[in-house]
Amino acid sequence: MPSLHTCKEWEPISVNKNTAMFKFIQQYTEKMDHAQVYPMISLFIFFLFFVVLLFYVKKMDKQSIDTLSNIPLEDNEATTTNNQ
């Protein structure tokens, strides 16, 4: 039985492989025009999503919040079992 130290499948990823992948990606992003804009757009979309979600939750009425919060506790669900 081969030892784990000689098995090629279980080799840890070395730093050289990671830096090679980073250089590969960096090579193409440096050639792109206005590449520094994309991280800012991503941050804006991420921030906007949670702001909209916050406003949505704040605007919900109390009754719908209570109904949604009690869904996991209700026992009157129609459950099907394969052992019938």
Side-chain angles (χ1 to χ4, degrees):
M1 181 166 166
S3 68
L4 291 177
H5 298 291
T6 60
C7 183
K8 299 260 186 223
E9 295 176 16
W10 294 101
E11 283 185 16
I13 298 173
S14 67
V15 177
N16 294 338
K17 289 181 184 176
N18 288 335
T19 56
M21 180 57 83
F22 178 72
K23 287 180 182 178
F24 176 75
I25 294 170
Q26 186 180 17
Q27 174 186 0
Y28 289 104
T29 56
E30 287 176 349
K31 292 179 184 178
M32 292 172 41
D33 293 333
H34 307 292
Q36 67 273 12
V37 175
Y38 297 119
M40 292 302 297
I41 293 171
S42 303
L43 179 65
F44 178 73
I45 292 171
F46 179 80
F47 182 75
L48 184 67
F49 171 77
F50 285 105
V51 167
V52 169
L53 188 66
L54 178 68
F55 282 126
Y56 175 73
V57 170
K58 290 288 187 181
K59 291 286 186 179
M60 289 177 70
D61 60 326
K62 181 70 174 164
Q63 184 179 7
S64 65
I65 293 174
D66 289 337
T67 303
L68 292 174
S69 66
N70 288 327
I71 289 174
L73 303 175
E74 293 176 356
D75 288 333
N76 58 0
E77 294 181 12
T79 58
T80 59
T81 59
N82 293 333
N83 297 333
Q84 294 179 357

